Amino acid sequence: MALSSFGKDLARRAKSKCELSGASGVPLHIYEVPPVPTEPDYHRCLMLSEDILDQIKKPNTIIPDQWRNLGELIWSDLVPVQIMSYRLLSYIAQKENWAQDILDEAFLDDDLIAEAKLVAI
């Protein structure tokens, strides 16, 4: 119930676009960045398209070249975007050097990296 109350604020923050792909004009869903707290927290939520949600839930469907925008997203001022960017890049970096290069160049807070490493994609 509390989670759905964030919907309008999240849609406004996201400008009605997927916060990881930038897709607009598609249905968006609230995604809580794991680990999920007991009480819903606006600052741990993202608005994501179904396509992005599916890829996060089934990482073997990730097409690495579709995620090159993570090089920009890793610098976001939104912590949940940074965390998910780090997680996705870490997963993609297992097979793609470009993803590891982005991670190597990113200057992220140690606490953010520790939190991103708590849950793998």
Side-chain angles (χ1 to χ4, degrees):
M1 193 76 159
L3 191 60
S4 60
S5 70
F6 296 151
K8 287 182 182 179
D9 292 333
L10 286 168
R12 197 168 312 137
R13 180 185 80 191
K15 298 178 181 144
S16 297
K17 295 180 183 178
C18 175
E19 291 186 280
L20 292 181
S21 72
S24 62
V26 296
L28 298 174
H29 304 277
I30 298 172
Y31 175 75
E32 288 184 278
V33 175
V36 177
T38 308
E39 293 294 320
D41 181 355
Y42 170 84
H43 299 289
R44 295 204 51 84
C45 294
L46 292 172
M47 292 298 285
L48 301 180
S49 67
E50 287 180 28
D51 179 51
I52 297 303
L53 278 174
D54 289 345
Q55 290 184 58
I56 289 171
K57 291 177 184 177
K58 298 176 193 164
N60 60 331
T61 65
I62 289 175
I63 300 168
D65 282 337
Q66 291 181 349
W67 288 96
R68 293 211 180 241
N69 67 321
L70 293 173
E72 294 174 23
L73 292 179
I74 196 82
W75 299 102
S76 173
D77 59 349
L78 298 173
V79 171
V81 171
Q82 285 184 308
I83 289 171
M84 291 307 297
S85 296
Y86 187 93
R87 289 178 182 169
L88 286 160
L89 285 165
S90 294
Y91 178 82
I92 295 168
Q94 296 172 29
K95 295 183 180 177
E96 299 287 333
N97 291 334
W98 64 263
Q100 186 60 54
D101 292 342
I102 292 170
L103 287 171
D104 291 343
E105 293 173 8
F107 295 106
L108 300 174
D109 181 83
D110 290 338
D111 291 338
L112 186 133
I113 292 172
E115 184 172 346
K117 288 181 176 182
L118 288 174
V119 178
I121 294 286

